[in-house]
């Protein structure tokens, strides 16, 4: 196969990165190849992880704690969103953290009570 003729490549050529966009997955024809089916399942699982919605102020708990450069291990954070930028504040100490590939990780939103402002009209 040639890189100048990518139309001759197929899923059986060995894609192992599971980062295919949904648009491309939707264009694929049916297959019996177990390797291709496994790759498609992994791509869809990653797309499901990345499609989860978060709001600023949400409290999240990671499935497995992370050790940070300060030596501390943390697993709960408060989400801070500004546009497309997302940062995390340690739920215990309040320090600001950056978590690489957060949307690819397993986490849960921890239910919290939100107090809404009362508006008198």
């Amino acid at each position: 196969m040639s890189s100048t003729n990518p139309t001759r490549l197929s899923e059986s050529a060995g894609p192992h990165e599971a980062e295919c966009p949904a648009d491309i997955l939707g264009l694929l024809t049916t297959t019996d190849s177990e390797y291709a089916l496994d790759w498609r399942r992994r791509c869809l699982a990653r797309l499901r992880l990345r499609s989860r919605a978060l709001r600023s102020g949400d409290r999240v708990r990671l499935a497995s704690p992370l050790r940070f450069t300060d030596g501390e291990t943390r697993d709960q954070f408060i989400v801070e969103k500004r546009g497309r930028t997302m940062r995390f504040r340690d739920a215990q100490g309040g320090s600001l953290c950056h978590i690489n590939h957060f949307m690819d990780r397993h986490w849960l939103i921890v239910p919290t009570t939100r107090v809404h402002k009362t508006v008198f009209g």
Side-chain angles (χ1 to χ4, degrees):
M1 300 300 160
S2 165
S3 62
T4 59
N5 189 358
T7 57
R8 300 184 75 199
L9 295 175
S10 70
E11 290 169 292
S12 62
H16 71 279
E17 294 294 328
E19 297 180 9
C20 185
D23 321 5
I24 302 299
L25 286 174
L27 296 173
L28 300 176
T29 58
T30 58
T31 183
D32 292 332
S33 166
E34 195 54 45
Y35 185 86
L37 291 171
D38 177 58
W39 175 75
R40 291 178 188 191
R41 279 190 289 272
R42 289 185 293 122
C43 289
L44 290 170
R46 182 175 182 275
L47 287 169
R48 276 192 300 277
L49 282 177
R50 296 190 64 78
S51 69
R52 297 173 292 175
L54 278 174
R55 297 180 301 174
S56 197
D58 281 346
R59 179 184 288 252
V60 294
R61 179 183 302 127
L62 296 174
S64 52
L66 296 176
R67 180 173 298 283
F68 287 84
T69 55
D70 63 0
E72 293 294 320
T73 302
R74 300 176 180 97
D75 69 342
Q76 283 199 40
F77 303 90
I78 308 296
V79 177
E80 290 186 4
K81 289 179 83 173
R82 290 195 178 118
R84 292 182 54 120
T85 304
M86 190 167 18
R87 293 195 199 171
F88 304 91
R89 191 159 298 280
D90 174 20
Q92 304 301 319
S95 59
L96 200 57
C97 307
H98 175 76
I99 302 174
N100 290 328
H101 307 288
F102 179 77
M103 293 305 285
D104 294 329
R105 297 177 183 274
H106 293 280
W107 48 265
L108 299 168
I109 294 178
V110 177
T112 57
T113 304
R114 291 185 184 250
V115 178
H116 300 280
K117 289 197 290 187
T118 303
V119 178
F120 296 98

